[in-house]
Amino acid sequence: MSATTLTLRRFNAVDVILWLLRIGVLLIVVIGTLATLIKARYTIAQWLDFVMFGLTIGSIYAQIALGYTMVYGVLRLINFAHGDIVMTGAFAGYFAAAGFDRSGLLESRPVLAMAGILLVAVLTSTCIAVLTERIAYRPFRRVQGLAPLICAIGVSFFLEQTFRGLFGSSVKSYPDPSWLRAAFVVFGFRIPRVDVLVIGLALVFMALLYMVVQRTRMGTAMRAVAEDAEAAALMGIDVNRVIVFTFMLGGVMAGIAGVFYAFLYKQVYFFMGFTPGIKAFGAAVLGGIGSIPGAMLGGFFLGMVESVGPTLFLDGIGIPAPYQLRDLIAFTLLIMVLIFRPQGILGERMARKRA
Amino acid sequence: MRNTARGLLAGLVTGLAASGVLLGVPPAMAATVGPVTDDIGVVRIAKGAPIQIGGYWVLSGPDTALGLDERRGVEIAMKDAGDSLLGHPLKLVAEDDGCNAEGGQTAATKLAANPQIVIVLGPACSSSNTPAAPILWQAGITDIDTAATAPALTAANRKPEYDGLVRTVFSDADQGKADAAYIFNVLKARRAVAMHDGSPYAQQLAAVFAANFKQLGGEVLSTEAVAPTDVDMHPVLTRIASEKPDVLYLPMFIAATAQILRQAKDTSGLEHTHMFGGSSLAAADFIEAAGPAVVGFQIGYPDLSPEAMGQGYPKFVEEYKKAYGEGPISGFHANAYDAATMAFKAIQAVAKTDDAGNLYIGRKALRDAVFATKFEGIAGPVACDPHGQCSQLKAAVFEFTSADPKTYGIGKNPKKVYPPSH
């Protein structure tokens, strides 16, 4: 009896703190938002800009997050090197882009040049992703504990330092073709063409990926392995092939994301994959790790919070330099979502397994 | 049993010594080695062994040119000294600090762990100098800073743990003031937004600028901040655009500044805002990173024209070109050269040789000798105030003229635009 009361009381204290945290964050969000809107410092066009910026970076996070979530789905492994695989794609794309830029092809035949750049980037990142699986992760497949995770971190360092050794540690700059600099004007609002391109193509590629996973035999096998690898193997599914295929899909998305990221922000260097990698991992957890639509949703959510959040929540309550707190806001909201829904927005309930 | 007790006692003593270290002052371990007695320790260099000079700069990442340029300045100074001092060869032990606090801490810890390091030169970044200087001074090592300009490092109220730090570079207390005067008086700007990346350098310089700009009668609309690794600057720029500033003052590092310049071009509302940056940006890598947006960008920078520099500077530049096949790649090579010269002079002043040819250098004596060293450096006169400030700023403004990194050269691209040459 007394033991039960004690346990109850302990739970209550934690609950109270958690509830206070939730109420506190919600209050800041609500009061801040209202105050910002009442102040009316920004025009509608500026708000639209904030949303567009958020969707653009969000679409990149979403594509990277897919790589994390698919690998986690089939292997229960957090592939920490995935951000660096994005970097390898961006680097390979850089060499193609710089070549096309010098020959004038990037200016005169944009579609052809972009297809070429994407192809080079995707081939590189896919090869590296598959090689990583074969050389580094497969020997750890049956190892319990943290060893596979540590191995993934090691692969991340290896890729970073290899690229640093090969191509130096300075920043390389993607070309800036004139057709990418233009902007669409819709109802008087200016929307940069590069944003539309990045978001649009990202949606197309993600839809394609979703079709592959849902409609093809390989996709079905992937889902079967994710659900229960042993049962899938007993049903005659070649688990190794499925895993290689998963890494391939992740590598393809990483290559595309790397090129888009580099066309948006221009700078490529050996360490560039780290931050977007961590953020995309956060997005994957937010959406529910293992869930493909969840990763996409999480990416867009994180991008939007990063872009709109500091202004919307903090401007109104008079906090100076709110963009310094961008990551804090994004990750606080991430924690909040996880407090309310530990399995992530679209994640499946784990409770059944635990019980 | 007795051994255990002795072990415990030894542990306690070590613990106490360690807690003394935590106070940030070198442990008082008056030592007499050979002919030298010193309050905090003596370095003994055996006959024929090298005199090891430590160094730490940013030698990787986007700001590499800044640090590498200084390391080259030191290397040339060593060559000019005939690669030897008092009959011992000179050896530079250089560490990479990545231009951040963690890197500074690691580099300083590595250098401090080497008992043969006589003195340390560098770094390039205040972010790494701030945690590193106390670590070095705890080990009794004097640090001559070659380009970290944050005002707090040599402020009158700096803490005793910084007693071992001097610098042969100006303080941003002067840079911020000069920038504010130029922006207010010459550009006639009245509404400014200051921006920093959270680093001690940028944060303190932005604050000094804001205070001086207000004092002149200008209005500082806000001080914004980003992270040095941020890439998406559009939201913060949109926010700044809503304040309609005349000038955006952004004394930050290469990666973030380049992103801001590029993205400001397509942020509506910033078309007429003048951009003004700081001295860490004069590098070919910055032109590469910022692309076409760099043209017309101005930076507050020390005046490197031959008439403003010390006498030996033109000869130094010739040597630099001969040794590395290119002109200086950033702006603080001359300060680094002077720092090395200062170290050599101080070592010569205090080192003692015994009959067997071994060399002895007292650490406290060396620190005092550094503070007392006065000479005409190639970047101007060197003489320290009691807080370790040994060089003064000769302010100028430089403007980038081309987006081609190959055209980089201080004086050409960026070109000096102020004060007007006569």
Side-chain angles (χ1 to χ4, degrees):
Chain A
M1 178 66 206
S2 66
T4 325
T5 336
L6 215 96
T7 328
L8 272 179
R9 201 180 296 152
R10 203 157 55 205
F11 267 112
N12 283 344
V14 173
D15 275 353
V16 166
I17 293 169
L18 280 185
W19 274 108
L20 283 180
L21 187 72
R22 289 172 204 183
I23 293 168
V25 172
L26 272 182
L27 271 182
I28 292 177
V29 167
V30 172
I31 295 175
T33 307
L34 285 177
T36 307
L37 294 179
I38 290 167
K39 265 192 184 170
R41 176 173 149 184
Y42 302 95
T43 61
I44 304 277
Q46 281 168 332
W47 282 116
L48 191 76
D49 281 347
F50 283 130
V51 171
M52 279 306 286
F53 302 146
L55 288 177
T56 313
I57 185 78
S59 67
I60 304 224
Y61 289 158
Q63 290 177 82
I64 306 176
L66 284 170
Y68 280 102
T69 223
M70 287 188 298
V71 168
Y72 185 83
V74 298
L75 278 183
R76 296 287 179 271
L77 165 77
I78 297 165
N79 179 11
F80 262 112
H82 192 62
D84 300 296
I85 290 174
V86 174
M87 178 270 292
T88 65
F91 251 101
Y94 165 77
F95 292 115
F100 288 144
D101 190 39
R102 271 195 297 277
S103 68
L105 199 71
L106 191 62
E107 249 346 300
S108 56
R109 308 289 280 285
V111 177
L112 193 69
M114 273 307 273
I117 295 167
L118 279 172
L119 191 71
V120 171
V122 162
L123 279 178
T124 311
S125 60
T126 309
C127 285
I128 292 182
V130 170
L131 279 177
T132 323
E133 193 278 328
R134 184 66 195 85
I135 298 168
Y137 297 151
R138 196 173 292 182
F140 282 96
R141 186 86 56 76
R142 303 264 163 228
V143 178
Q144 292 291 314
L146 287 175
L149 183 76
I150 303 297
C151 171
I153 295 172
V155 170
S156 167
F157 286 165
F158 176 80
L159 288 176
E160 281 164 16
Q161 298 306 324
T162 306
F163 271 70
R164 176 182 167 178
L166 287 176
F167 307 114
S169 67
S170 66
V171 174
K172 299 191 186 343
S173 203
Y174 257 57
D176 198 10
S178 56
W179 52 266
L180 209 57
R181 283 199 295 270
F184 298 114
V185 178
V186 186
F187 302 121
F189 297 123
R190 196 177 151 279
I191 301 173
R193 192 182 278 179
V194 59
D195 291 10
V196 178
L197 188 81
V198 167
I199 300 172
L201 285 180
L203 287 175
V204 169
F205 285 123
M206 285 194 286
L208 278 176
L209 176 101
Y210 193 67
M211 297 288 280
V212 168
V213 175
Q214 293 295 330
R215 295 286 158 81
T216 62
R217 284 176 67 88
M218 206 59 190
T220 313
M222 226 175 108
R223 283 180 291 137
V225 172
E227 207 159 303
D228 191 331
E230 272 176 33
L234 289 175
M235 291 295 149
I237 292 175
D238 183 346
V239 177
N240 268 339
R241 263 186 68 194
V242 169
I243 289 170
V244 168
F245 181 72
T246 309
F247 272 87
M248 271 174 66
L249 281 185
V252 169
M253 293 315 272
I256 297 170
V259 169
F260 286 170
Y261 187 82
F263 264 108
L264 271 174
Y265 304 118
K266 304 299 178 200
Q267 301 177 1
V268 280
Y269 70 110
F270 71 96
F271 201 57
M272 63 175 283
F274 180 76
T275 314
I278 292 291
K279 296 228 170 119
F281 172 60
V285 173
L286 181 74
I289 193 144
S291 152
I292 288 176
M296 300 182 194
L297 191 73
F300 280 111
F301 181 87
L302 194 70
M304 286 295 280
V305 170
E306 276 192 359
S307 169
V308 183
T311 300
L312 189 64
F313 306 148
L314 297 185
D315 210 337
I317 34 183
I319 290 180
Y323 277 94
Q324 202 176 18
L325 303 176
R326 159 153 70 184
D327 293 351
L328 181 81
I329 297 170
F331 284 99
T332 307
L333 280 190
L334 188 136
I335 292 170
M336 290 306 294
V337 170
L338 293 182
I339 289 178
F340 282 110
R341 271 186 76 83
Q343 70 274 34
I345 301 175
L346 295 182
E348 289 160 28
R349 274 224 165 273
M350 302 287 273
R352 199 166 31 115
K353 267 189 192 164
R354 256 187 272 150
Chain B
M1 189 65 208
R2 246 182 102 177
N3 275 345
T4 325
R6 199 179 287 167
L8 267 176
L9 197 68
L12 261 177
V13 171
T14 323
L16 279 176
S19 62
V21 163
L22 284 180
L23 293 176
V25 197
M29 285 192 299
T32 304
V33 183
V36 175
T37 303
D38 191 90
D39 287 349
I40 55 178
V42 179
V43 190
R44 176 182 179 276
I45 299 156
K47 181 170 194 260
I51 298 181
Q52 298 192 29
I53 310 277
Y56 64 122
W57 295 282
V58 47
L59 299 173
S60 67
D63 298 301
T64 305
L66 184 67
L68 189 59
D69 189 48
E70 288 161 46
R71 180 184 160 154
R72 288 174 173 183
V74 169
E75 285 169 354
I76 294 174
M78 289 170 66
K79 211 183 286 171
D80 283 356
D83 279 323
S84 80
L85 200 64
L86 302 164
H88 290 257
L90 281 167
K91 182 181 166 197
L92 179 65
V93 183
E95 298 287 343
D96 176 16
D97 69 18
C99 197
N100 57 49
E102 298 78 19
Q105 209 161 8
T106 312
T109 309
K110 273 171 92 172
L111 291 169
N114 178 350
Q116 285 306 106
I117 295 283
V118 175
I119 195 164
V120 167
L121 308 174
C125 299
S126 305
S127 320
S128 55
N129 204 355
T130 305
I135 296 174
L136 292 170
W137 186 228
Q138 273 159 26
I141 300 174
T142 305
D143 180 4
I144 309 180
D145 154 19
T146 51
T149 50
L153 294 170
T154 58
N157 60 353
R158 69 173 186 175
K159 294 194 182 115
E161 66 215 48
Y162 287 92
D163 277 356
L165 177 70
V166 301
R167 65 178 164 204
T168 52
V169 67
F170 58 87
S171 163
D172 280 337
D174 297 327
Q175 180 75 66
K177 198 173 167 185
D179 292 347
Y182 173 78
I183 290 170
F184 189 87
N185 295 325
V186 181
L187 296 180
K188 309 275 183 221
R190 292 296 175 265
R191 295 157 58 82
V193 168
M195 207 168 178
H196 65 80
D197 59 7
S199 68
Y201 156 71
Q203 204 166 3
Q204 292 178 29
L205 183 49
V208 172
F209 164 80
N212 280 287
F213 195 69
K214 274 185 215 156
Q215 212 171 31
L216 290 167
E219 189 186 353
V220 178
L221 302 162
S222 67
T223 300
E224 294 290 341
V226 293
T229 50
D230 274 359
V231 288
D232 189 12
M233 303 294 182
H234 282 120
V236 71
L237 287 170
T238 302
R239 189 184 143 77
I240 291 170
S242 77
E243 299 177 300
K244 303 189 181 61
D246 300 329
V247 69
L248 178 56
Y249 183 70
L250 55 158
M252 304 191 292
F253 290 95
I254 285 177
T257 314
Q259 292 293 10
I260 289 176
L261 285 192
R262 277 179 183 272
Q263 295 174 33
K265 288 281 171 215
D266 48 43
T267 303
S268 43
L270 287 179
E271 294 84 359
H272 304 296
T273 302
H274 191 89
M275 304 281 174
F276 196 94
S279 54
S280 62
L281 300 173
D285 282 349
F286 175 63
I287 300 177
E288 159 98 31
V294 83
V295 177
F297 180 63
Q298 293 188 332
I299 54 173
Y301 204 68
D303 195 342
L304 293 186
S305 54
E307 63 266 25
M309 296 295 273
Q311 277 191 339
Y313 188 65
K315 180 177 153 272
F316 167 86
V317 174
E318 284 314 306
E319 267 181 84
Y320 192 113
K321 282 183 187 153
K322 218 160 76 187
Y324 304 107
E326 57 184 344
I329 51 174
S330 188
F332 296 97
H333 42 270
N335 306 80
Y337 182 96
D338 286 350
T341 311
M342 188 182 205
F344 302 158
K345 283 182 188 296
I347 292 171
Q348 277 168 327
V350 299
K352 291 201 171 72
T353 310
D354 66 10
D355 298 337
N358 304 313
L359 195 70
Y360 301 87
I361 300 166
R363 293 200 179 278
K364 176 75 168 53
L366 183 64
R367 182 258 179 206
D368 294 343
V370 166
F371 268 78
T373 304
K374 278 188 191 141
F375 64 102
E376 275 301 317
I378 61 166
V382 175
C384 301
D385 75 4
H387 314 295
Q389 184 62 45
C390 311
S391 177
Q392 303 304 322
L393 173 71
K394 280 181 282 264
V397 176
F398 284 70
E399 183 174 313
F400 288 92
T401 52
S402 159
D404 181 3
K406 287 191 205 78
T407 62
Y408 171 78
I410 293 166
K412 297 197 301 283
N413 181 27
K415 193 176 111 207
K416 189 173 118 182
V417 291
Y418 184 85
S421 307
H422 34 80

